[in-house]
Every structure is written in C-alpha cells, then in structure tokens.
Amino acid sequence: GGGGQAELWGAFAEKLAAWEAHTRAETLRLGELCREQGQKLKNQEHRIATLETQLREARNGKGAPQKSPAPQDPGPRCDPGADALAPVPLQHLLPPGPGASGREGSARTAARRQFCENLRGHGFCLVQCPRALQLGGSVKRVYDAARVFFRLPIERKDVSRCPTEHGYLNPKGNYQCFQVKAQHGEGFVWPGQSFQEAFVAAHSLLEKVALACFDACAEDLGSEPAELRRLLDVRAPGIDTPSRSALRCIEYSRTEGARAEYAEHTDLSFITVAPRGSRDALRVRDMSSLEELEVERAMGRDTLLVFCGDLMARLTDNHFPAAMHRPEGSWKGGTKDGNAAPDLRFALPFFLRGRSDAVLDPRRVGGSGEAAGGPVPVWALEDNVDKAREKFPWKKQPYYSAFGFSA
C-alpha cells in the first residue's frame, strides 16, 4: 500500500544520506592522509640531505663526488588556491543534530578543521549549502526585487532611506545598494511586501550561516562560542537600537578601468558571507599564492564564500586574517541568472559585525595582545581612529602592502 511505499522510500533516503556522509568523511580523511604523507616525505628528504652533508664534513670534504640530480618532471600544476576552492559542507559547521553517529562526528571534525585551515592559509573558504535550504532561489528573489527597485525614480527610492543606514543607500560611484538589518530606525518604509519577504528571508539565512562560521572559529581558538558571541551585534531580546550586522544588496554598473574605483580592501566585520553574484566579477587574493582568484567561477547556486574581516583579525592577533578582495568593474561573460541587463551586476554580502561598545582583547582567545597593542573598542576601528586599521602590524606583510591595501 501507500504507507509501505512511503516507509521504503524513507528507509532508502536514510541509507542514501548515510552513504553520502560516509563518502564525504572518507574524502576528507584521505585528503588529510595525503597531506600528512606529503609532509613526512619532505621531512625524510630533508633528513637525508642533512645526513649526507654531515657525512661529507666528517670525511673532510673527501666524500664521493655527488652527481647532479636529473631534472624531474614537476607534473601538472594545480591552480592557485585549488584546495581552498573545494567547498566544505554547511551541515558540518552547524550544531550536530540529536543522535549524531560517531562517523558523522568525525566528518564534522574534519570539515571544521579544513574550514579553519582554509581561512588561515588562504584567507577564505567556500561552503556548500544543502539543496533543501534553497539558497539559490532565495538569492534570485532578492536580485529580482532589487532589479525592479533600483530602476525606480530617485524620489521613490528615497522613501526607503533611513538615517541608521537601513534601506536605500546611494554611495558615490558606480553602484547603489539596499541594506537590511535585524533592527532598524523608526519611520523606515519597506518598498513592498514581496520585497520585504525576499530580503528578510535572505538576511535570516545568511545570518545563521555567519554565526555558525563564527562559532567554528571560536572553537578553533579554544574558546566558548557563547562567550565570544557577546561581542557580536545581532538581534537580542529587549534591544530596540538599530543593529550593525547587515545584509547588503549591491547593484554595480559595468565600467571599464574601474580598478581604482573598486580598490582591494578588507571588511570591517568578524565574518563576511556572500553567495555568488549575478556575474563572475569578485576577486579574492589568496594568502598562500598572493594571486587574485576568480572565486565565483567555482561557485554554484548553493555555494557561499566565507572570509574574515578586520574585527576577527584584531581579536585573534591575525590568527584568522582579513581577506583582501574587490569587485571587478569591467566583467566579462554572461549573467548567471539570465535576467539582468549586461551592464549590471548584483551581489549580496552579509556582514557579521561587533557591538560598538565591545572591546576586542586577544587575551580572551589565547593571544598575547602584544602584536597589535592590547585591547581596543570596536568603535575605534569603525571610525578608524588614528588610522588604526592601517597600523595593524600584519598590514605590513606583502599580502596587504604590495597590493594597495584600503581600509
């Protein structure tokens, strides 16, 4: 009967999910094993070279002459940041469900370790969302609503402008944006019901992802996530003041030679989460290779880009560095969603920010606090008092200094 068929399909779905989890765990385990074996091989080669040197010295340089090693084929080169472009499953960054198995626990541990290693070593990590979350559909609804809104006359758009930077923003340059926060000031007017529903749903989803990523970083630092969350500016019961964490839908106008217009920069955030834009135009600089990567070419509808900002770098003494990135103003190729005009691009970053009165103290997460000069309030970095963000000692590293860092 129908009930028996449903039970069979349910059992099949459970087995399929278990098989997929096992496959992901084995893939991560094998990757980790390959890295470990590669490091052991390097250590052995170094040890052999050291012993040969010691042997020649013991013979007073009279050892047998050494033949020059034959040139070796280096094999195919991997693309810069190729390992960082392999996404980590979002479900392993979220809190484990009730009754999670030991196998699922090991996969979760490996995925979270890889996530943090990518943030430290490359400056970013891609995260793959389950299709059930319908990330791609949520993002498309926002882009569609924004496309209509941004074509309205300026006086119509100004109705949704708010002094607390919630709503319509029209900065100078070749872009305009609409910003959404968990709390906003009085008098704010949404452009419409469907617009509000699309933006609120996307805000809720990306905020949850950002918080899960923040918690993974906290655990990597050996800190209690609930304790570090006190630094964050997110919705809290009884708080009516406008929040600072924000979702921002940005419409870029295509322009040639816009490198100066869209300079490389770091975000003033703990965590930035961004789905794929409507065109492949975002560039992120890999901390390992120092090359710019076209990350959106490796992203699908359900893939998210995650990286840290200056607040996280300052809190952790640069244990989790802030990623350098920029949008390319003169993008090439067609649109991702098939609807936008060829001279427009939409992006949807979410910025997980701190409370203005919160104090960033590296000693809370096991740091010495000596690298950047002790505790500092978030408001001092927001206002960039005495160019504080430019004076972080790590900003002298080539990753930042050689490519025109902009706060």
Side-chain angles (χ1 to χ4, degrees), residues 273-320:
V273 177
R276 184 180 68 182
S278 62
R279 282 186 175 76
D280 299 330
L282 185 63
R283 307 291 185 263
V284 179
R285 192 167 295 281
D286 188 332
M287 295 204 72
S288 178
S289 67
L290 301 186
E291 295 188 32
E292 277 194 329
L293 302 183
E294 299 178 350
V295 291
E296 288 178 316
R297 293 185 179 276
M299 297 173 65
R301 282 169 51 88
D302 297 311
T303 310
L304 290 168
L305 169 67
V306 179
F307 55 86
C308 296
D310 280 333
L311 296 185
M312 182 69 84
R314 184 61 172 79
L315 172 66
T316 65
D317 268 345
N318 209 40
H319 180 79
F320 286 115

Side-chain angles (χ1 to χ4, degrees), residues 12-59:
F12 173 75
E14 290 180 2
K15 291 182 179 180
L16 180 60
W19 179 80
E20 289 178 341
H22 174 69
T23 301
R24 287 192 296 268
E26 286 299 300
T27 300
L28 290 169
R29 186 184 66 81
L30 290 174
E32 184 69 21
L33 182 61
C34 288
R35 283 191 291 272
E36 291 177 358
Q37 293 299 323
Q39 187 60 49
K40 288 181 180 179
L41 182 59
K42 288 182 181 179
N43 293 340
Q44 290 175 354
E45 291 174 347
H46 176 73
R47 179 62 177 162
I48 291 172
T50 301
L51 291 173
E52 288 178 342
T53 300
Q54 292 174 348
L55 180 60
R56 286 195 297 270
E57 291 175 351
R59 292 176 175 175

Side-chain angles (χ1 to χ4, degrees), residues 62 71 99 107 126 134 137 193 223 229 248 272 292 324 354 376:
K62 297 180 181 180
L126 297 185
Q134 299 182 342
Q193 182 68 26
S223 301
R229 277 201 186 195
R248 183 179 296 172
T272 298
E292 277 194 329
M324 290 273 282
V376 62

Side-chain angles (χ1 to χ4, degrees), residues 13-184:
E14 290 180 2
K15 291 182 179 180
L16 180 60
W19 179 80
E20 289 178 341
H22 174 69
T23 301
R24 287 192 296 268
E26 286 299 300
T27 300
L28 290 169
R29 186 184 66 81
L30 290 174
E32 184 69 21
L33 182 61
C34 288
R35 283 191 291 272
E36 291 177 358
Q37 293 299 323
Q39 187 60 49
K40 288 181 180 179
L41 182 59
K42 288 182 181 179
N43 293 340
Q44 290 175 354
E45 291 174 347
H46 176 73
R47 179 62 177 162
I48 291 172
T50 301
L51 291 173
E52 288 178 342
T53 300
Q54 292 174 348
L55 180 60
R56 286 195 297 270
E57 291 175 351
R59 292 176 175 175
N60 295 320
K62 297 180 181 180
Q66 302 295 315
K67 295 182 179 180
S68 300
Q72 297 181 353
D73 181 7
R77 287 189 59 194
C78 294
D79 293 334
D83 53 339
L85 294 176
V88 170
L90 173 62
Q91 54 266 38
H92 293 322
L93 300 179
L94 298 171
S101 66
R103 181 179 296 170
E104 291 171 341
S106 61
R108 181 175 183 270
T109 299
R112 293 167 80 87
R113 181 172 61 247
Q114 187 61 53
F115 172 76
C116 292
E117 286 178 357
N118 285 355
L119 291 183
R120 287 193 299 269
H122 296 282
F124 71 95
C125 186
L126 297 185
V127 173
Q128 188 67 27
C129 297
R131 289 186 178 180
L133 285 183
Q134 299 182 342
L135 171 67
S138 296
V139 172
K140 186 178 184 301
R141 282 191 290 274
V142 170
Y143 289 166
D144 288 343
R147 185 177 298 113
V148 174
F149 173 79
F150 287 134
R151 302 283 72 76
L152 295 175
I154 185 65
E155 57 270 17
R156 290 278 303 279
K157 291 184 285 190
D158 280 343
V159 173
S160 297
R161 192 187 295 271
C162 189
T164 56
E165 293 191 345
H166 182 106
Y168 178 61
L169 303 176
N170 186 24
K172 296 179 180 179
N174 297 313
Y175 63 99
Q176 55 184 330
C177 62
F178 196 98
Q179 185 159 270
V180 175
K181 302 178 180 179
Q183 299 288 128
H184 52 79

Side-chain angles (χ1 to χ4, degrees), residues 277 279-283 296 326-332 345:
R279 282 186 175 76
D280 299 330
L282 185 63
R283 307 291 185 263
E296 288 178 316
R326 69 180 180 92
E328 173 61 60
S330 54
W331 56 78
K332 298 178 181 179
R345 172 182 179 263

